[in-house]
Structures are given as C-alpha cells and as structure tokens.
Amino acid sequence: MTAGERLNGKLKGLVKDIDGILVDRGLNGADTYTPETGKSASFNLAYADGLFQLLTDPNVSQGDWSRSWGDRSSLERVISGICSRFAPDENPFPNAISSITDRW
C-alpha cells in the first residue's frame, strides 16, 4: 500500500487531492506506507489537512452517499489534537481540546 492509498483510506475517499496534500507536507503519495510513515509528523499533518478540507466543505458527496456537517466540533478537536502535537504554530483551532490526541 502507498502513502497516498493509506491517506485516502483514512479520509474515506472524500478528499480528491490526496497527492497534493502529501506533497505539501513533503511526502510522496507513491512511496510505500510503513508504520513509521503513519507515526510521522508529515503524515499526521497531511491527515489533519485532509480533515480541514472536509471541515471547510459545506457538503461532501460521493456517488449515492452524502454528508453534511452539522456539528463540526469533533473534527475541530481531532485537527487541533494533531496540530498541537506536531505543529502547534499551525493549529487552526488552538482552543479546541481533544481527548483522543494520545492516539497519535
């Protein structure tokens, strides 16, 4: 599996520019995904970037499936937790508190 495929899977295929997100974080989507890749700051911040894209889209749809974000606070907390750990200066939600940051 490649880094691009893994990130696409984590984002449930809802973000179109996976390779662009990875390149912006200094990763190559065609590189083999390893456990070390998954723990890296670059990959986690790319994941946060993808979540941020979902958060800023008013509606997400793919095929017959669609999702509208009524309560965005859970995504804000996940993004904030990742950024707080890997890039505090980039945190778009510094006041959002996440109880799941230990997962990353």
Side-chain angles (χ1 to χ4, degrees):
M1 160 181 16
T2 67
E5 290 168 337
R6 179 63 181 131
L7 184 58
N8 190 45
K10 286 181 68 93
L11 295 169
K12 311 294 187 224
L14 297 174
V15 175
K16 294 181 175 142
D17 190 21
I18 295 295
D19 286 330
I21 291 171
L22 289 167
V23 167
D24 288 347
R25 291 295 179 178
L27 297 170
N28 182 339
D31 286 348
T32 301
Y33 177 83
T34 65
E36 291 77 25
T37 304
K39 294 175 185 173
S40 72
S42 296
F43 187 82
N44 280 280
L45 290 168
Y47 178 53
D49 293 343
L51 291 175
F52 190 78
Q53 281 189 10
L54 291 177
L55 185 68
T56 57
D57 266 350
N59 297 302
V60 177
S61 46
Q62 181 173 2
D64 294 336
W65 184 88
S66 67
R67 172 77 160 114
S68 178
W69 305 110
D71 177 15
R72 297 168 185 258
S73 62
S74 59
L75 282 179
E76 289 176 4
R77 286 191 302 272
V78 172
I79 294 165
S80 179
I82 294 169
C83 290
S84 292
R85 180 167 180 203
F86 294 107
D89 294 341
E90 293 183 35
N91 193 345
F93 309 106
N95 296 324
I97 299 170
S98 176
S99 60
I100 61 170
T101 54
D102 291 342
R103 187 171 170 206
W104 289 281

